[in-house]
Amino acid sequence: MPATEHQQSFLGRISIRRNQVIAMDGNHEQELEVLELFQRHTGDRFADLLSHPEDYPFSGEPFLSISWLRKLVDVLLCCEAEFKAVLIMGRDPSQILKPPLDRLLIDFMERAVKVLDICNAVSSGVDSIRQCQKLAEIVVSALEQKPIGDGQVKRARKALSALMSALTIDDKENNHSRYAERTWSFGRRGSNSGGNHKDRATHGSFRSSSMVLAKNWSAAKQIQAMCSNLAVPRGGESTGLAQPVYIMSNVMVFVMWALVAAIPCQERSGLSTHFQIPKQFVWAHSIIGMQEKIGEEWKKKEKKGSAGLLEEMQRMEKLGQSLIEFADGFQFPAEAEKLEEVAARVAELAEICQRMEEGLMPLQQQIRELFHRIVRSRTEILDLLDNGKASQPII
């Protein structure tokens, strides 16, 4: 069943909570069925992402390509919608105030704030990829000219030099002006944050505290912080609401980790060592498979210092190196065989630019949608907690 269909089926089944509060003691079997469905849907979605990526072009899109990342973000959006339905829809607020769920939700909302930070960093990274695309388009425009002369090769060589410099940037030196246009230290709930969360939501909810990205901001440290306090539910917790909170936390961590690995972000060193997902969960099998594959690629990336694992950027880097060799050894008139080889590489580079043109903006829009979705969900959870506290009798 397609993801959108089984999501609608799931939301339809859980919508009975709108008119009837389900208490764990009163309808335990029904609650367990909902939790089981959430696990199964999560596992199915990630299994679809992992299915035969090596069979490209027959499978649709290659692993870690722009189109694959768009599917990955869509999976997170679908999981987030179902998670919110499980946690909030028709829920008696007093249920989520019981320990350990109250503490787990506080940790979860802190992770959500870090997701917002990373969403903005990834969106900025997409902008940097678009600059690489523009440089590659200059190369294509110059080398598509017939006949290719010294002027065209010099123009292409200049653009190629800038392109290769951008594609081999060191993460530790990414405090570049293009990464320093904005920061993402979002307001957190508390007495020092200035008003209650409803007031903050009215005025933009998560407001940047500074207009310049801090030099010590680290995508890797954000991922590491998201993994802190991420403990496997045990005992009675494993069959209650702690379970979907744990699943959704792992889903958020993995998707953010994959995006940071693929898209240029500030300071990503040691990214492959920052989290592990327990293997005993059925929903985790496909995530672990993708995690292992990305981790191996990341280790190669760190050795050669390339800007990211995005499939289009990897191909662009290889083509750029080949075209630089051609430009460095160019003598007019070039041999016909050499020109044919160059034409094939230029056509491939043009195809990559086209895929970037078609996919980068929708990917960036999805990231923004995710950002706003997380803000709304976080506010709704805070509202539920506040309502639960307000309904408790004063002793």
Side-chain angles (χ1 to χ4, degrees), residues 249-292:
S249 293
N250 277 282
V251 169
M252 289 195 308
V253 170
F254 172 73
V255 174
M256 293 301 105
W257 177 79
L259 287 171
V260 166
I263 306 293
C265 292
Q266 180 174 308
E267 217 294 292
R268 302 176 293 175
S269 58
L271 194 67
S272 61
T273 62
H274 283 149
F275 78 104
Q276 292 183 337
I277 298 175
K279 297 182 178 180
Q280 67 264 34
F281 300 107
V282 174
W283 55 266
H285 292 173
S286 296
I287 296 178
I288 292 170
M290 287 183 283
Q291 181 188 21
E292 291 175 349

mmCIF file of all heavy atoms in Angstrom, residues 249-292:
data_model
loop_
_atom_site.group_PDB
_atom_site.id
_atom_site.type_symbol
_atom_site.label_atom_id
_atom_site.label_comp_id
_atom_site.label_asym_id
_atom_site.label_seq_id
_atom_site.Cartn_x
_atom_site.Cartn_y
_atom_site.Cartn_z
ATOM 1 N N SER A 249 11.967 9.836 17.814
ATOM 2 C CA SER A 249 13.263 10.456 18.097
ATOM 3 C C SER A 249 14.348 9.871 17.205
ATOM 4 O O SER A 249 15.169 10.596 16.631
ATOM 5 C CB SER A 249 13.634 10.260 19.570
ATOM 6 O OG SER A 249 12.760 10.968 20.428
ATOM 7 N N ASN A 250 14.357 8.541 17.055
ATOM 8 C CA ASN A 250 15.341 7.903 16.198
ATOM 9 C C ASN A 250 15.158 8.281 14.733
ATOM 10 O O ASN A 250 16.135 8.479 14.010
ATOM 11 C CB ASN A 250 15.264 6.379 16.354
ATOM 12 C CG ASN A 250 16.036 5.870 17.541
ATOM 13 O OD1 ASN A 250 17.258 5.762 17.513
ATOM 14 N ND2 ASN A 250 15.327 5.559 18.624
ATOM 15 N N VAL A 251 13.909 8.387 14.311
ATOM 16 C CA VAL A 251 13.635 8.787 12.924
ATOM 17 C C VAL A 251 14.169 10.196 12.668
ATOM 18 O O VAL A 251 14.820 10.466 11.655
ATOM 19 C CB VAL A 251 12.124 8.705 12.630
ATOM 20 C CG1 VAL A 251 11.789 9.379 11.297
ATOM 21 C CG2 VAL A 251 11.657 7.249 12.598
ATOM 22 N N MET A 252 13.912 11.117 13.598
ATOM 23 C CA MET A 252 14.400 12.489 13.436
ATOM 24 C C MET A 252 15.924 12.526 13.397
ATOM 25 O O MET A 252 16.514 13.219 12.561
ATOM 26 C CB MET A 252 13.879 13.385 14.566
ATOM 27 C CG MET A 252 12.405 13.689 14.494
ATOM 28 S SD MET A 252 11.879 15.086 15.553
ATOM 29 C CE MET A 252 12.550 14.624 17.140
ATOM 30 N N VAL A 253 16.560 11.789 14.308
ATOM 31 C CA VAL A 253 18.019 11.781 14.347
ATOM 32 C C VAL A 253 18.576 11.249 13.031
ATOM 33 O O VAL A 253 19.494 11.842 12.439
ATOM 34 C CB VAL A 253 18.531 10.934 15.530
ATOM 35 C CG1 VAL A 253 20.044 10.741 15.422
ATOM 36 C CG2 VAL A 253 18.199 11.610 16.855
ATOM 37 N N PHE A 254 18.034 10.132 12.556
ATOM 38 C CA PHE A 254 18.575 9.539 11.335
ATOM 39 C C PHE A 254 18.401 10.452 10.127
ATOM 40 O O PHE A 254 19.337 10.657 9.342
ATOM 41 C CB PHE A 254 17.911 8.197 11.031
ATOM 42 C CG PHE A 254 18.307 7.651 9.690
ATOM 43 C CD1 PHE A 254 19.578 7.123 9.484
ATOM 44 C CD2 PHE A 254 17.433 7.712 8.605
ATOM 45 C CE1 PHE A 254 19.964 6.651 8.227
ATOM 46 C CE2 PHE A 254 17.812 7.245 7.360
ATOM 47 C CZ PHE A 254 19.082 6.716 7.166
ATOM 48 N N VAL A 255 17.225 11.023 9.965
ATOM 49 C CA VAL A 255 16.978 11.877 8.793
ATOM 50 C C VAL A 255 17.859 13.118 8.842
ATOM 51 O O VAL A 255 18.452 13.514 7.833
ATOM 52 C CB VAL A 255 15.482 12.261 8.695
ATOM 53 C CG1 VAL A 255 15.259 13.270 7.569
ATOM 54 C CG2 VAL A 255 14.631 11.011 8.441
ATOM 55 N N MET A 256 17.988 13.737 10.012
ATOM 56 C CA MET A 256 18.860 14.898 10.124
ATOM 57 C C MET A 256 20.314 14.515 9.852
ATOM 58 O O MET A 256 21.053 15.239 9.185
ATOM 59 C CB MET A 256 18.738 15.528 11.519
ATOM 60 C CG MET A 256 17.388 16.164 11.823
ATOM 61 S SD MET A 256 16.941 17.494 10.651
ATOM 62 C CE MET A 256 15.689 16.658 9.660
ATOM 63 N N TRP A 257 20.733 13.362 10.373
ATOM 64 C CA TRP A 257 22.097 12.876 10.152
ATOM 65 C C TRP A 257 22.361 12.645 8.669
ATOM 66 O O TRP A 257 23.406 13.034 8.143
ATOM 67 C CB TRP A 257 22.277 11.586 10.950
ATOM 68 C CG TRP A 257 23.596 10.901 10.790
ATOM 69 C CD1 TRP A 257 24.777 11.224 11.385
ATOM 70 C CD2 TRP A 257 23.864 9.751 9.982
ATOM 71 N NE1 TRP A 257 25.764 10.334 11.003
ATOM 72 C CE2 TRP A 257 25.235 9.417 10.153
ATOM 73 C CE3 TRP A 257 23.077 8.948 9.145
ATOM 74 C CZ2 TRP A 257 25.826 8.326 9.497
ATOM 75 C CZ3 TRP A 257 23.663 7.865 8.496
ATOM 76 C CH2 TRP A 257 25.030 7.576 8.677
ATOM 77 N N ALA A 258 21.411 12.024 7.971
ATOM 78 C CA ALA A 258 21.572 11.765 6.533
ATOM 79 C C ALA A 258 21.625 13.061 5.740
ATOM 80 O O ALA A 258 22.429 13.210 4.809
ATOM 81 C CB ALA A 258 20.438 10.879 6.030
ATOM 82 N N LEU A 259 20.779 14.027 6.100
ATOM 83 C CA LEU A 259 20.777 15.312 5.401
ATOM 84 C C LEU A 259 22.097 16.047 5.608
ATOM 85 O O LEU A 259 22.666 16.616 4.663
ATOM 86 C CB LEU A 259 19.614 16.182 5.881
ATOM 87 C CG LEU A 259 18.212 15.776 5.421
ATOM 88 C CD1 LEU A 259 17.155 16.597 6.140
ATOM 89 C CD2 LEU A 259 18.063 15.934 3.909
ATOM 90 N N VAL A 260 22.602 16.038 6.841
ATOM 91 C CA VAL A 260 23.869 16.715 7.129
ATOM 92 C C VAL A 260 25.018 16.027 6.386
ATOM 93 O O VAL A 260 25.942 16.693 5.903
ATOM 94 C CB VAL A 260 24.125 16.737 8.652
ATOM 95 C CG1 VAL A 260 25.565 17.126 8.963
ATOM 96 C CG2 VAL A 260 23.165 17.711 9.332
ATOM 97 N N ALA A 261 24.965 14.701 6.274
ATOM 98 C CA ALA A 261 26.007 13.979 5.545
ATOM 99 C C ALA A 261 25.986 14.304 4.051
ATOM 100 O O ALA A 261 27.028 14.400 3.408
ATOM 101 C CB ALA A 261 25.846 12.468 5.751
ATOM 102 N N ALA A 262 24.792 14.508 3.512
ATOM 103 C CA ALA A 262 24.663 14.726 2.070
ATOM 104 C C ALA A 262 24.869 16.181 1.670
ATOM 105 O O ALA A 262 25.452 16.469 0.621
ATOM 106 C CB ALA A 262 23.284 14.255 1.591
ATOM 107 N N ILE A 263 24.392 17.098 2.490
ATOM 108 C CA ILE A 263 24.371 18.529 2.142
ATOM 109 C C ILE A 263 25.458 19.263 2.926
ATOM 110 O O ILE A 263 25.609 19.053 4.123
ATOM 111 C CB ILE A 263 22.993 19.148 2.477
ATOM 112 C CG1 ILE A 263 21.857 18.357 1.821
ATOM 113 C CG2 ILE A 263 22.950 20.609 2.062
ATOM 114 C CD1 ILE A 263 21.825 18.420 0.322
ATOM 115 N N PRO A 264 26.223 20.148 2.284
ATOM 116 C CA PRO A 264 27.263 20.898 3.008
ATOM 117 C C PRO A 264 26.695 21.664 4.199
ATOM 118 O O PRO A 264 25.752 22.429 4.061
ATOM 119 C CB PRO A 264 27.804 21.858 1.942
ATOM 120 C CG PRO A 264 27.501 21.201 0.642
ATOM 121 C CD PRO A 264 26.196 20.485 0.840
ATOM 122 N N CYS A 265 27.256 21.407 5.374
ATOM 123 C CA CYS A 265 26.884 22.111 6.600
ATOM 124 C C CYS A 265 28.155 22.391 7.389
ATOM 125 O O CYS A 265 29.178 21.737 7.184
ATOM 126 C CB CYS A 265 25.941 21.265 7.468
ATOM 127 S SG CYS A 265 24.300 21.005 6.781
ATOM 128 N N GLN A 266 28.063 23.334 8.295
ATOM 129 C CA GLN A 266 29.252 23.719 9.059
ATOM 130 C C GLN A 266 29.662 22.646 10.058
ATOM 131 O O GLN A 266 28.847 22.178 10.847
ATOM 132 C CB GLN A 266 28.971 25.024 9.806
ATOM 133 C CG GLN A 266 30.151 25.527 10.630
ATOM 134 C CD GLN A 266 29.859 26.885 11.235
ATOM 135 O OE1 GLN A 266 29.471 27.793 10.537
ATOM 136 N NE2 GLN A 266 30.064 27.006 12.540
ATOM 137 N N GLU A 267 30.930 22.240 10.023
ATOM 138 C CA GLU A 267 31.586 21.368 10.995
ATOM 139 C C GLU A 267 30.845 20.035 11.161
ATOM 140 O O GLU A 267 29.977 19.880 12.001
ATOM 141 C CB GLU A 267 31.683 22.070 12.351
ATOM 142 C CG GLU A 267 32.978 21.771 13.081
ATOM 143 C CD GLU A 267 33.095 20.305 13.508
ATOM 144 O OE1 GLU A 267 32.331 19.904 14.373
ATOM 145 O OE2 GLU A 267 33.950 19.590 12.945
ATOM 146 N N ARG A 268 31.266 19.070 10.332
ATOM 147 C CA ARG A 268 30.628 17.751 10.360
ATOM 148 C C ARG A 268 31.631 16.645 10.678
ATOM 149 O O ARG A 268 31.355 15.470 10.419
ATOM 150 C CB ARG A 268 29.973 17.467 9.007
ATOM 151 C CG ARG A 268 28.931 18.485 8.597
ATOM 152 C CD ARG A 268 28.388 18.200 7.221
ATOM 153 N NE ARG A 268 29.409 18.390 6.198
ATOM 154 C CZ ARG A 268 29.218 18.103 4.911
ATOM 155 N NH1 ARG A 268 28.072 17.611 4.509
ATOM 156 N NH2 ARG A 268 30.181 18.306 4.031
ATOM 157 N N SER A 269 32.789 16.964 11.215
ATOM 158 C CA SER A 269 33.842 15.968 11.414
ATOM 159 C C SER A 269 33.393 14.872 12.371
ATOM 160 O O SER A 269 32.741 15.132 13.380
ATOM 161 C CB SER A 269 35.104 16.644 11.959
ATOM 162 O OG SER A 269 34.835 17.313 13.172
ATOM 163 N N GLY A 270 33.749 13.629 12.034
ATOM 164 C CA GLY A 270 33.409 12.486 12.872
ATOM 165 C C GLY A 270 31.944 12.127 12.870
ATOM 166 O O GLY A 270 31.457 11.440 13.764
ATOM 167 N N LEU A 271 31.216 12.555 11.848
ATOM 168 C CA LEU A 271 29.768 12.382 11.823
ATOM 169 C C LEU A 271 29.357 10.915 11.891
ATOM 170 O O LEU A 271 28.323 10.583 12.459
ATOM 171 C CB LEU A 271 29.208 13.017 10.540
ATOM 172 C CG LEU A 271 27.696 13.243 10.481
ATOM 173 C CD1 LEU A 271 27.271 14.287 11.489
ATOM 174 C CD2 LEU A 271 27.289 13.685 9.081
ATOM 175 N N SER A 272 30.170 10.017 11.333
ATOM 176 C CA SER A 272 29.765 8.607 11.234
ATOM 177 C C SER A 272 29.750 7.891 12.577
ATOM 178 O O SER A 272 29.232 6.782 12.683
ATOM 179 C CB SER A 272 30.709 7.863 10.286
ATOM 180 O OG SER A 272 32.041 7.903 10.772
ATOM 181 N N THR A 273 30.299 8.489 13.609
ATOM 182 C CA THR A 273 30.419 7.795 14.898
ATOM 183 C C THR A 273 29.406 8.269 15.933
ATOM 184 O O THR A 273 29.491 7.868 17.099
ATOM 185 C CB THR A 273 31.833 8.018 15.472
ATOM 186 O OG1 THR A 273 32.029 9.424 15.714
ATOM 187 C CG2 THR A 273 32.891 7.521 14.518
ATOM 188 N N HIS A 274 28.435 9.081 15.558
ATOM 189 C CA HIS A 274 27.657 9.794 16.562
ATOM 190 C C HIS A 274 26.410 9.098 17.097
ATOM 191 O O HIS A 274 25.858 9.522 18.092
ATOM 192 C CB HIS A 274 27.281 11.186 16.034
ATOM 193 C CG HIS A 274 28.420 12.149 16.104
ATOM 194 N ND1 HIS A 274 28.591 13.158 15.217
ATOM 195 C CD2 HIS A 274 29.464 12.233 16.940
ATOM 196 C CE1 HIS A 274 29.691 13.840 15.506
ATOM 197 N NE2 HIS A 274 30.232 13.284 16.546
ATOM 198 N N PHE A 275 25.913 8.042 16.460
ATOM 199 C CA PHE A 275 24.753 7.386 17.056
ATOM 200 C C PHE A 275 24.590 5.966 16.536
ATOM 201 O O PHE A 275 25.036 5.627 15.451
ATOM 202 C CB PHE A 275 23.473 8.187 16.798
ATOM 203 C CG PHE A 275 22.900 8.028 15.414
ATOM 204 C CD1 PHE A 275 21.778 7.233 15.207
ATOM 205 C CD2 PHE A 275 23.472 8.672 14.320
ATOM 206 C CE1 PHE A 275 21.252 7.082 13.939
ATOM 207 C CE2 PHE A 275 22.934 8.529 13.059
ATOM 208 C CZ PHE A 275 21.821 7.729 12.859
ATOM 209 N N GLN A 276 23.941 5.154 17.358
ATOM 210 C CA GLN A 276 23.641 3.777 16.994
ATOM 211 C C GLN A 276 22.189 3.491 17.323
ATOM 212 O O GLN A 276 21.670 3.939 18.345
ATOM 213 C CB GLN A 276 24.546 2.795 17.730
ATOM 214 C CG GLN A 276 26.009 2.854 17.300
ATOM 215 C CD GLN A 276 26.843 1.806 18.004
ATOM 216 O OE1 GLN A 276 26.480 1.323 19.065
ATOM 217 N NE2 GLN A 276 27.962 1.445 17.398
ATOM 218 N N ILE A 277 21.533 2.711 16.453
ATOM 219 C CA ILE A 277 20.152 2.308 16.674
ATOM 220 C C ILE A 277 20.146 0.833 17.045
ATOM 221 O O ILE A 277 20.759 0.027 16.345
ATOM 222 C CB ILE A 277 19.301 2.553 15.414
ATOM 223 C CG1 ILE A 277 19.283 4.047 15.076
ATOM 224 C CG2 ILE A 277 17.873 2.048 15.614
ATOM 225 C CD1 ILE A 277 18.572 4.377 13.788
ATOM 226 N N PRO A 278 19.477 0.453 18.139
ATOM 227 C CA PRO A 278 19.437 -0.962 18.528
ATOM 228 C C PRO A 278 18.854 -1.837 17.416
ATOM 229 O O PRO A 278 17.879 -1.465 16.764
ATOM 230 C CB PRO A 278 18.525 -0.959 19.763
ATOM 231 C CG PRO A 278 18.639 0.425 20.316
ATOM 232 C CD PRO A 278 18.794 1.311 19.117
ATOM 233 N N LYS A 279 19.454 -2.999 17.222
ATOM 234 C CA LYS A 279 19.067 -3.867 16.112
ATOM 235 C C LYS A 279 17.865 -4.753 16.399
ATOM 236 O O LYS A 279 17.375 -5.427 15.496
ATOM 237 C CB LYS A 279 20.259 -4.744 15.716
ATOM 238 C CG LYS A 279 21.455 -3.956 15.204
ATOM 239 C CD LYS A 279 22.594 -4.879 14.788
ATOM 240 C CE LYS A 279 23.765 -4.060 14.234
ATOM 241 N NZ LYS A 279 24.895 -4.939 13.818
ATOM 242 N N GLN A 280 17.364 -4.758 17.625
ATOM 243 C CA GLN A 280 16.290 -5.688 17.960
ATOM 244 C C GLN A 280 14.922 -5.245 17.456
ATOM 245 O O GLN A 280 13.965 -6.017 17.484
ATOM 246 C CB GLN A 280 16.214 -5.928 19.479
ATOM 247 C CG GLN A 280 15.777 -4.704 20.302
ATOM 248 C CD GLN A 280 16.951 -3.948 20.861
ATOM 249 O OE1 GLN A 280 18.004 -3.878 20.235
ATOM 250 N NE2 GLN A 280 16.796 -3.386 22.062
ATOM 251 N N PHE A 281 14.807 -4.014 16.962
ATOM 252 C CA PHE A 281 13.517 -3.512 16.515
ATOM 253 C C PHE A 281 13.323 -3.745 15.019
ATOM 254 O O PHE A 281 14.201 -3.420 14.219
ATOM 255 C CB PHE A 281 13.370 -2.017 16.821
ATOM 256 C CG PHE A 281 13.470 -1.691 18.279
ATOM 257 C CD1 PHE A 281 14.598 -1.059 18.786
ATOM 258 C CD2 PHE A 281 12.449 -2.034 19.150
ATOM 259 C CE1 PHE A 281 14.702 -0.768 20.133
ATOM 260 C CE2 PHE A 281 12.546 -1.745 20.509
ATOM 261 C CZ PHE A 281 13.681 -1.111 20.996
ATOM 262 N N VAL A 282 12.155 -4.265 14.642
ATOM 263 C CA VAL A 282 11.873 -4.533 13.230
ATOM 264 C C VAL A 282 11.865 -3.235 12.417
ATOM 265 O O VAL A 282 12.378 -3.183 11.302
ATOM 266 C CB VAL A 282 10.517 -5.265 13.092
ATOM 267 C CG1 VAL A 282 10.144 -5.424 11.624
ATOM 268 C CG2 VAL A 282 10.575 -6.624 13.769
ATOM 269 N N TRP A 283 11.325 -2.168 12.992
ATOM 270 C CA TRP A 283 11.246 -0.904 12.270
ATOM 271 C C TRP A 283 12.622 -0.304 12.001
ATOM 272 O O TRP A 283 12.788 0.541 11.120
ATOM 273 C CB TRP A 283 10.410 0.126 13.047
ATOM 274 C CG TRP A 283 10.863 0.377 14.451
ATOM 275 C CD1 TRP A 283 10.405 -0.218 15.582
ATOM 276 C CD2 TRP A 283 11.892 1.285 14.884
ATOM 277 N NE1 TRP A 283 11.071 0.256 16.693
ATOM 278 C CE2 TRP A 283 11.982 1.177 16.299
ATOM 279 C CE3 TRP A 283 12.724 2.177 14.219
ATOM 280 C CZ2 TRP A 283 12.880 1.928 17.054
ATOM 281 C CZ3 TRP A 283 13.634 2.929 14.965
ATOM 282 C CH2 TRP A 283 13.694 2.794 16.361
ATOM 283 N N ALA A 284 13.633 -0.784 12.751
ATOM 284 C CA ALA A 284 14.973 -0.188 12.652
ATOM 285 C C ALA A 284 15.853 -0.846 11.600
ATOM 286 O O ALA A 284 16.898 -0.293 11.247
ATOM 287 C CB ALA A 284 15.666 -0.258 14.003
ATOM 288 N N HIS A 285 15.473 -2.017 11.086
ATOM 289 C CA HIS A 285 16.364 -2.771 10.205
ATOM 290 C C HIS A 285 16.790 -1.977 8.980
ATOM 291 O O HIS A 285 17.972 -1.923 8.629
ATOM 292 C CB HIS A 285 15.698 -4.083 9.789
ATOM 293 C CG HIS A 285 15.543 -5.055 10.928
ATOM 294 N ND1 HIS A 285 14.843 -6.231 10.828
ATOM 295 C CD2 HIS A 285 16.010 -5.010 12.212
ATOM 296 C CE1 HIS A 285 14.884 -6.865 11.982
ATOM 297 N NE2 HIS A 285 15.573 -6.138 12.840
ATOM 298 N N SER A 286 15.835 -1.374 8.292
ATOM 299 C CA SER A 286 16.162 -0.619 7.081
ATOM 300 C C SER A 286 16.953 0.647 7.410
ATOM 301 O O SER A 286 17.854 1.033 6.659
ATOM 302 C CB SER A 286 14.883 -0.246 6.320
ATOM 303 O OG SER A 286 14.215 -1.408 5.875
ATOM 304 N N ILE A 287 16.621 1.288 8.532
ATOM 305 C CA ILE A 287 17.360 2.479 8.939
ATOM 306 C C ILE A 287 18.822 2.121 9.193
ATOM 307 O O ILE A 287 19.737 2.832 8.761
ATOM 308 C CB ILE A 287 16.729 3.110 10.203
ATOM 309 C CG1 ILE A 287 15.309 3.608 9.898
ATOM 310 C CG2 ILE A 287 17.583 4.266 10.716
ATOM 311 C CD1 ILE A 287 14.596 4.198 11.094
ATOM 312 N N ILE A 288 19.049 0.992 9.873
ATOM 313 C CA ILE A 288 20.415 0.562 10.154
ATOM 314 C C ILE A 288 21.156 0.252 8.861
ATOM 315 O O ILE A 288 22.341 0.590 8.709
ATOM 316 C CB ILE A 288 20.396 -0.671 11.089
ATOM 317 C CG1 ILE A 288 19.886 -0.261 12.476
ATOM 318 C CG2 ILE A 288 21.788 -1.284 11.199
ATOM 319 C CD1 ILE A 288 19.609 -1.431 13.396
ATOM 320 N N GLY A 289 20.460 -0.377 7.896
ATOM 321 C CA GLY A 289 21.088 -0.658 6.611
ATOM 322 C C GLY A 289 21.546 0.597 5.901
ATOM 323 O O GLY A 289 22.676 0.666 5.373
ATOM 324 N N MET A 290 20.700 1.616 5.894
ATOM 325 C CA MET A 290 21.076 2.891 5.273
ATOM 326 C C MET A 290 22.165 3.595 6.066
ATOM 327 O O MET A 290 23.074 4.195 5.494
ATOM 328 C CB MET A 290 19.844 3.788 5.135
ATOM 329 C CG MET A 290 18.886 3.339 4.051
ATOM 330 S SD MET A 290 17.474 4.455 3.829
ATOM 331 C CE MET A 290 16.467 4.001 5.233
ATOM 332 N N GLN A 291 22.066 3.497 7.395
ATOM 333 C CA GLN A 291 23.068 4.129 8.249
ATOM 334 C C GLN A 291 24.456 3.551 7.983
ATOM 335 O O GLN A 291 25.440 4.289 7.884
ATOM 336 C CB GLN A 291 22.684 3.923 9.717
ATOM 337 C CG GLN A 291 23.649 4.560 10.699
ATOM 338 C CD GLN A 291 23.342 4.157 12.130
ATOM 339 O OE1 GLN A 291 22.690 3.143 12.361
ATOM 340 N NE2 GLN A 291 23.809 4.944 13.087
ATOM 341 N N GLU A 292 24.538 2.229 7.862
ATOM 342 C CA GLU A 292 25.831 1.587 7.597
ATOM 343 C C GLU A 292 26.386 2.001 6.246
ATOM 344 O O GLU A 292 27.587 2.270 6.101
ATOM 345 C CB GLU A 292 25.662 0.065 7.676
ATOM 346 C CG GLU A 292 25.399 -0.438 9.091
ATOM 347 C CD GLU A 292 25.104 -1.924 9.145
ATOM 348 O OE1 GLU A 292 24.898 -2.522 8.048
ATOM 349 O OE2 GLU A 292 25.064 -2.489 10.248
#
